[in-house]
Amino acid sequence: MSLTYCFKKATHSIHRLPLDSREVLDALCRQIQAAERNLNAAAALRLQGCLDNCRGLCCRNLHLEAVFGIPDFVYILTLEPTMAAGMAECLRREEPLFTSNCPFLKGGVGPCIFPPDVRPEVCITSFCRGDAALKADIGRVKKSFWKLGFFLWTRKLPGVHRLLLKTG
Ligand code: SF4
Ligand code: SF4
């Protein structure tokens, strides 16, 4: 699936949600954001190394379909709806089927246009120098994204949604 397709599908999914499901979506996205903040704090030294020494090599020459899915766009668009127009503009640079630099590098160069605590799952949980010390924090981010994916998959079953919020 191209990023443009996922972006459009995510936009559509958010707009079609009934009000009570929208509240659950907001809560699930806040859970992801809290998990991302914890991971960023735990990985602060490594992230400083990324900034000082590498400047985001892992955002270049990528198979982007392996990085972004519909839940990633739903997450970003729910917490940062004002970024939608800018994201659509970035996606005009997308070259589906080929490896390429991420279209969300500011000005095509970087840094990433997204806030540090509103990043796609793969971006925030991937560390090229090992992640053994971060496994618990990475696990919490992955679990919270899994819940968002499950919510989107079952969005016509509101009873299931309430259970998702209770699982912490
Ligand atoms: S995770 Fe590795 S490749 Fe990515 S920015 Fe950090 S040092 Fe560079
Ligand atoms: S969304 Fe941001 S962190 Fe993720 S690959 Fe693109 S530029 Fe890098």
Side-chain angles (χ1 to χ4, degrees):
M1 284 188 288
S2 74
L3 271 55
T4 301
Y5 172 84
C6 291
F7 175 78
K8 287 182 178 165
K9 192 89 181 158
T11 306
H12 190 61
S13 297
I14 293 170
H15 289 155
R16 286 189 54 196
L17 277 180
L19 192 59
D20 56 342
S21 293
R22 175 65 205 219
E23 287 168 10
V24 179
L25 173 66
D26 288 340
L28 290 172
C29 289
R30 292 287 166 208
Q31 284 183 3
I32 296 175
Q33 188 176 41
E36 291 204 352
R37 283 180 180 161
N38 284 341
L39 177 55
N40 282 337
L45 272 179
R46 276 165 214 248
L47 294 173
Q48 194 57 47
C50 296
L51 275 177
D52 293 343
N53 307 322
C54 175
R55 295 181 175 271
L57 190 65
C58 52
C59 304
R60 299 172 204 286
N61 200 23
L62 291 172
H63 278 294
L64 289 159
E65 288 88 350
V67 176
F68 291 88
I70 294 168
D72 297 297
F73 283 115
V74 167
Y75 173 53
I76 294 167
L77 290 167
T78 299
L79 292 190
E80 299 287 346
T82 59
M83 295 189 80
M87 290 166 71
E89 186 62 31
C90 290
L91 285 169
R92 292 175 63 183
R93 289 197 288 267
E94 185 187 14
E95 296 174 34
L97 306 180
F98 298 101
T99 56
S100 61
N101 295 347
C102 180
F104 299 117
L105 288 164
K106 193 172 185 181
V109 180
C112 177
I113 65 168
F114 301 124
D117 57 359
V118 189
R119 297 269 167 103
E121 176 182 354
V122 169
C123 303
I124 199 160
T125 59
S126 302
F127 294 90
C128 67
R129 292 173 198 156
D131 59 10
L134 300 168
K135 278 209 179 313
D137 294 292
I138 289 172
R140 276 190 280 275
V141 173
K142 286 179 179 286
K143 181 182 172 193
S144 52
F145 266 106
W146 180 87
K147 285 165 65 176
L148 176 59
F150 190 76
F151 165 83
L152 294 169
W153 187 54
T154 60
R155 63 181 178 272
K156 295 196 176 129
L157 303 170
V160 175
H161 298 165
R162 299 284 162 199
L163 283 178
L164 274 177
L165 286 180
K166 284 183 188 152
T167 59

